[in-house]
Amino acid sequence: MNRFDYVRAGSLAEAVAAASEPGAAYLAAGTNLLDLMKGGISRPSRLVDVTRLPGLDRIERLPDGALRIGALVRNADLAHDPDFARAYPAVAEALLSGASAQLRNAATTAGNLMQRTRCAYFYDPASACNKRAPGAGCEARGGANRMHAVLGWSEHCIATHPSDFCVPLVALDAVVEIEGKDGRREVALDAFHRLPGDAPERESVLAPGELIVAVRLPAEASAFSGHSRYLKVRERTSYAFAVVSAAAALTLDGGRIGQARLALGGVALKPWRARAAESLLAGAEPTEAAFRGAADAALAEAKPSGNNAFKIELARRLIRRAFALAAAGTPERMPALPGSPFAPHPGHSLHA
């Protein structure tokens, strides 16, 4: 591991100033960053510790009905908050389907948004990777790539974003609050992560030194609480990243769909909002045929980036199942295996 400076910030202004220096990185739980440093993938010259900044570990209901989640709120604390789980069950289900209990007890809201891809070539310093070394090439293009992107990829990068948490947040129009040298700004989470294009090393819209301080769910997001699900297909039942995941949410009125929301994980370098599918479902009856049409619309632009054509059909089937389960109603009790499409039986009473 390379030598680095360590700075413990006492205020947001101190943190932003310290992290604006070239080579600096923010440190919270470090569940991803420290692994990258140990493997020689990330070599920051300065770590700015933000874990003691006041006010970033709160879950707050705002006067307009929105919910504000501080950047340092732990994943486990958020998922197990009864009021949160009742209002945003798909988000709680996504959180509990990610990583292990030990990691969820440490990992933070902002850290989840900022985690790096799990592409094996990115994690191997001996492999060519444009994300690590721009212009080096993408060894995944001709390598082991069955887990890689089928939407939004480019010749420069075919990696996927690993987050479960971000997928339902994108579906529910979450907003990211960002502090920088020029003050506070807000960015829709759907626009926060970048597709690779010809610059895959630029993963988000954050400028040097900018710090995520909170994620906000609008008041309208809780309207989907009665009909929303998060489903995740993985190679192991637990402790594995998504091959494909889907967050589906509906409002129903008089036997028809009022609004529909859909976002996919494991298919692109960012959580993928499927707006064409949502538009197709608005006003439709919640039938298998309608959900099949929505799934086809969501994957209309998908194409394999390697040996992964199966992911396209898998995503179609997962979308249909996620919408069918959402239409049937959010279960009163969290499934025993959160996020798993193979867990029809309820478990503990997180939503009750």
Side-chain angles (χ1 to χ4, degrees):
M1 186 182 292
N2 66 300
R3 295 174 64 87
F4 57 86
D5 295 330
Y6 172 80
V7 178
R8 180 179 293 173
S11 68
L12 285 175
E14 286 181 20
V16 170
S20 295
E21 297 294 325
Y26 286 114
L27 174 67
T31 55
N32 187 207
L33 176 61
L34 295 184
D35 282 345
L36 293 169
M37 291 175 64
K38 292 174 183 177
I41 312 306
S42 181
R43 302 175 65 86
S45 57
R46 170 182 290 179
L47 290 185
V48 181
D49 188 338
V50 296
T51 56
R52 288 170 174 78
L53 293 183
L56 299 188
D57 59 351
R58 300 173 185 165
I59 305 170
E60 305 172 272
R61 180 66 68 179
L62 302 179
D64 65 354
L67 187 86
R68 188 173 187 270
I69 308 162
L72 295 179
V73 172
R74 307 291 176 177
N75 287 180
D77 292 337
L78 183 62
H80 289 291
D81 181 282
D83 292 336
F84 178 84
R86 280 192 291 269
Y88 315 100
V91 186
E93 193 167 10
L95 282 167
L96 292 175
S97 72
S100 65
Q102 294 91 335
L103 284 172
R104 292 195 298 268
N105 286 338
T108 63
T109 294
N112 198 301
L113 270 60
M114 293 301 295
Q115 62 182 305
R116 310 291 297 277
T117 181
R118 262 52 181 195
C119 173
Y121 299 96
F122 171 73
Y123 268 80
D124 177 15
S127 297
C129 174
N130 287 318
K131 293 180 75 63
R132 275 190 289 100
C138 174
E139 208 156 318
R141 289 290 287 122
N145 48 32
R146 66 184 300 274
M147 294 288 287
H148 287 65
V150 294
L151 285 164
W153 57 273
S154 74
E155 294 297 324
H156 300 278
C157 182
I158 60 172
T160 60
H161 193 267
S163 176
D164 292 296
F165 181 38
C166 289
V167 178
L169 288 180
V170 163
L172 295 175
D173 289 327
V175 173
V176 185
E177 298 180 15
I178 300 167
E179 187 77 17
K181 291 184 292 185
D182 298 325
R184 185 75 53 95
R185 70 185 180 109
E186 298 181 353
V187 176
L189 181 56
D190 190 23
F192 178 81
H193 298 101
R194 292 170 47 94
L195 290 173
D198 60 1
E201 74 279 6
R202 296 176 58 193
E203 298 182 341
S204 75
V205 299
L206 289 179
E210 286 193 318
L211 174 67
I212 297 171
V213 294
V215 173
R216 196 172 67 248
L217 281 164
E220 298 77 18
S222 61
F224 296 93
S225 61
H227 296 276
S228 62
R229 295 299 302 270
Y230 178 77
L231 293 187
K232 174 182 179 179
V233 174
R234 41 199 154 179
E235 293 190 322
R236 301 188 304 274
T237 302
S238 61
Y239 310 152
F241 296 101
V243 179
V244 176
S245 66
L250 301 167
T251 61
L252 298 178
D253 183 16
R256 290 189 173 271
I257 298 169
Q259 297 183 68
R261 300 288 177 85
L262 176 64
L264 303 175
V267 296
L269 197 53
K270 60 181 287 183
W272 191 269
R273 181 77 177 267
R275 297 183 185 274
E278 296 174 357
S279 298
L280 199 63
L281 287 176
E285 294 183 2
T287 63
E288 170 62 24
F291 298 148
R292 184 179 297 274
D296 289 342
L299 278 301
E301 298 180 3
K303 59 180 180 178
S305 59
N307 186 30
N308 57 2
F310 77 97
K311 291 184 74 169
I312 300 172
E313 179 58 26
L314 180 62
R316 287 193 185 100
R317 296 185 184 200
L318 193 67
I319 290 168
R320 299 201 303 264
R321 183 175 294 191
F323 271 129
L325 290 175
T330 303
E332 293 183 4
R333 298 163 68 89
M334 178 68 74
L337 293 172
S340 173
F342 308 110
H345 303 295
H348 58 86
S349 57
L350 184 63
H351 297 156

